[in-house]
Amino acid sequence: MSLSLASMGADLTLLVDSSGSVIDVSYFDSAIARFGVEDWPGRSWADTVTRESLDKIQNLIDECTKKGASRSHQVNHPGGRGADLPIEYVLRRIEGFPYMIAYGTDLRKFAEVQQQLIQAQFELEREYRRVRESEARYRVIYQKMDSALLVVDGETRRIIDGNATAGRILGVTLSKLVGDTLISQAERDHRERLTEALSESRALGQSRSVTVAAAANGASIELQISPYRENGKINQLVSVSNPAADEYAMGGMSSDKWAWTEAVPEAQLVIDAKGAVYSVNGRFLDMIHVLGRNHAIGRNVNNWLGASSVDMQVLSNRLRDEGEVRQFLTVVRDEMGSSRPVRLSATRIEAGSEDPLYSVIVTEQSSRDLPSTTHTNGVHGATSDFSELIGRVPLKELIRESADVIEKLCIEAALTQTENNRAAAADLLGLSRQSLYLKLKRYGLEDFNGRT
């Protein structure tokens, strides 16, 4: 039988005798010659392969001897100073023919394809890593920027994305904003106007401005709606601004009016009679761990000052009646969840406005200034704020203000008992569901999760 006939369909064909010696070699690709295949006849087949392939040669011979044909095995022939020659062999015995025939498939082309796939995978991973880093950078910049922005789906008008500044102006946490419709963020009387502005902007491809009242806090906000194309559809970028807060202080006063606050050696802020923050200095920002003034202006001081809502209510009433308060004991809460005792001194500022403003100085208390008290149960802990007000606040006023605190404590207890089931809590308190939601908003318990 001619070896050239037997080798048809194989890249490399060997005639091997029973002792494992190579009798003859046939190949079609001339590039194989550089691996010294012409010198293989007369040598042991095992001597032509690399060390790790020796056992595979023996397995090929043993399997062929027992069964007449072996399974395929990949072996490597040494390439001198270059790469090895990978060959996948199948060894067969033909009836009446004295030698075994090894049919070999050159695996170099598969190795090249595999190497290209690996290289492509590396490139994809590098590109994915670059995109992921760019996305992370975009997210950080997007959340840290002072401008309040929302990304709105042009068809469903649901909020796809937004930053914390937009949530602060709208009075809604960012987690609740995303996925909700932009229309629902406006008060009912203004929703039709907002819907028309969104429709016009998308249909005409032009920017539109509309002023509405926020549903969460009633603040007057201005929305600048700009359409853009994304993935074959038209979405809208909405810039949110609060004109009153942008002026940095209400009543027509500019930020320069409050430049003197930075010269105050203590933490200082300016508030109105309702507790809205008009100005803060850097020391107060350090105390509450807030990044910048724009994150504090326009928010209520209750976010940081007061062991309970009664503290700031009492302070506001005394300022309204007396115009000045000294050594008012309360606590300050920072953005990291910790609190510490402070003393407040507040006085009215003549700001040329019908609504008076008040300057509040916040001084941290030292440990020796704190009263020594021991609370044996949760009730004492909940009422300790009142005991600290005795002697500083008239009894009649304290009783009036305490009703709100008691109501808030009852609502918190009902939510805890019902594991934040609002409907069950309303039944437990004997309230309608709507009344409960109004009280939750009044006491700032919209995000209360029922856990203490």
Side-chain angles (χ1 to χ4, degrees):
M1 178 182 292
S2 171
L3 180 59
S4 60
L5 179 63
S7 64
M8 292 183 66
D11 297 316
L12 177 64
T13 306
L14 309 178
L15 290 183
V16 182
D17 63 15
S18 57
S19 65
S21 296
V22 178
I23 303 302
D24 200 358
V25 176
S26 177
Y27 56 90
F28 290 102
D29 187 354
S30 58
I32 295 179
R34 68 182 181 84
F35 292 93
V37 295
E38 297 291 348
D39 298 332
W40 290 0
R43 297 174 57 189
S44 172
W45 191 13
D47 292 340
T48 67
V49 300
T50 57
R51 181 176 302 177
E52 66 273 8
S53 299
L54 292 176
D55 292 340
K56 297 179 182 180
I57 295 295
Q58 190 60 48
N59 290 336
L60 284 165
I61 295 174
D62 291 343
E63 291 173 7
C64 184
T65 301
K66 292 178 181 179
K67 301 179 181 179
S70 70
R71 295 179 293 110
S72 60
H73 293 272
Q74 177 185 338
V75 303
N76 293 322
H77 297 281
R81 297 182 180 180
D84 293 340
L85 173 65
I87 300 291
E88 186 177 65
Y89 285 109
V90 175
L91 189 62
R92 295 182 180 274
R93 181 181 294 280
I94 298 176
E95 189 71 26
F97 192 69
Y99 304 114
M100 295 177 286
I101 304 177
Y103 299 94
T105 301
D106 187 354
L107 297 181
R108 286 180 300 169
K109 53 181 177 293
F110 297 105
E112 292 175 0
V113 173
Q114 187 178 40
Q115 187 63 32
Q116 292 174 0
L117 288 174
I118 293 174
Q119 186 65 27
Q121 182 66 28
F122 285 154
E123 292 292 337
L124 286 174
E125 289 180 359
R126 279 195 292 267
E127 182 66 16
Y128 174 70
R129 198 160 45 240
R130 186 188 66 79
V131 171
R132 188 171 54 185
E133 291 173 355
S134 299
E135 182 181 3
R137 189 180 307 113
Y138 149 77
R139 296 298 308 170
V140 171
I141 295 173
Y142 186 53
Q143 293 299 328
K144 293 294 185 182
M145 65 190 306
D146 293 339
S147 300
L149 296 174
L150 297 174
V151 180
V152 178
D153 188 299
E155 297 178 356
T156 65
R157 292 168 183 164
R158 293 190 177 276
I159 298 173
I160 302 173
D161 202 355
N163 59 10
T165 307
R168 177 177 59 80
I169 294 177
L170 292 169
V172 183
T173 59
L174 185 58
S175 59
K176 290 185 177 181
L177 269 181
V178 176
D180 202 358
T181 61
L182 179 62
I183 305 298
S184 64
Q185 304 309 316
E187 290 187 350
R188 292 187 181 277
D189 295 342
H190 298 173
R191 290 180 182 178
E192 184 176 353
R193 186 194 315 164
L194 176 56
T195 301
E196 292 177 357
L198 288 169
S199 299
E200 289 180 6
S201 174
R202 186 168 185 267
L204 301 176
Q206 299 175 355
S207 297
R208 286 290 184 269
S209 295
V210 61
T211 301
V212 298
N217 54 21
S220 177
I221 58 174
E222 182 178 340
L223 303 178
Q224 181 74 27
I225 305 167
S226 302
Y228 72 97
R229 191 170 186 85
E230 178 183 16
N231 296 328
K233 59 187 296 187
I234 298 177
N235 290 335
Q236 292 166 313
L237 183 66
V238 180
S239 174
V240 186
S241 62
N242 184 339
D246 289 343
E247 292 179 1
Y248 208 67
M250 302 175 190
M253 292 173 293
S254 66
S255 58
D256 292 337
K257 176 75 175 180
W258 309 111
W260 59 269
T261 60
E262 288 299 331
V264 177
E266 299 285 351
Q268 191 268 355
L269 65 159
V270 177
I271 62 174
D272 66 4
K274 295 181 180 179
V277 177
Y278 281 45
S279 175
V280 295
N281 66 3
R283 293 169 184 81
F284 185 74
L285 294 177
D286 292 340
M287 181 178 287
I288 61 177
H289 296 116
V290 170
L291 291 177
R293 290 177 173 80
N294 59 298
H295 296 285
I297 302 301
R299 299 177 65 181
N300 197 286
V301 72
N302 280 325
N303 287 287
W304 306 289
L305 291 180
S308 65
S309 60
V310 70
D311 277 21
M312 291 300 100
Q313 291 175 8
V314 171
L315 177 65
S316 178
N317 290 338
R318 291 188 60 185
L319 283 171
R320 183 183 63 244
D321 297 338
E322 303 172 17
E324 184 179 78
V325 174
R326 296 180 180 275
Q327 303 300 313
F328 187 92
L329 301 179
T330 185
V331 299
V332 62
R333 303 182 305 277
D334 60 32
E335 295 289 287
M336 303 174 68
S338 62
S339 62
R340 52 192 182 277
V342 293
R343 297 192 309 273
L344 306 182
S345 297
T347 185
R348 180 181 299 166
I349 298 176
E350 296 298 335
S353 173
E354 294 181 359
D355 297 325
L357 300 180
Y358 303 94
S359 172
V360 182
I361 303 296
V362 185
T363 306
E364 290 193 52
Q365 296 189 77
S366 62
S367 58
R368 63 176 178 271
D369 295 333
L370 301 178
S372 177
T373 58
T374 303
H375 305 311
T376 58
N377 54 45
V379 175
H380 287 153
T383 59
S384 62
D385 300 328
F386 296 108
S387 64
E388 295 175 2
L389 296 175
I390 300 299
R392 298 188 288 112
V393 180
L395 179 61
K396 180 179 179 180
E397 185 176 345
L398 181 58
I399 293 174
R400 183 176 70 251
E401 302 292 350
S402 65
D404 289 341
V405 178
I406 294 172
E407 186 174 46
K408 180 181 178 181
L409 292 174
C410 291
I411 293 173
E412 290 178 346
L415 291 173
T416 301
Q417 291 181 30
T418 59
E419 296 183 350
N420 204 30
N421 186 319
R422 303 297 171 89
D427 292 339
L428 190 64
L429 294 168
L431 299 172
S432 67
R433 197 175 304 179
Q434 183 64 26
S435 297
L436 176 61
Y437 287 139
L438 291 174
K439 292 181 182 295
L440 291 175
K441 182 176 180 180
R442 176 183 177 187
Y443 297 120
L445 296 176
E446 296 99 329
D447 297 329
F448 187 75
N449 56 17
R451 295 191 294 269
T452 57

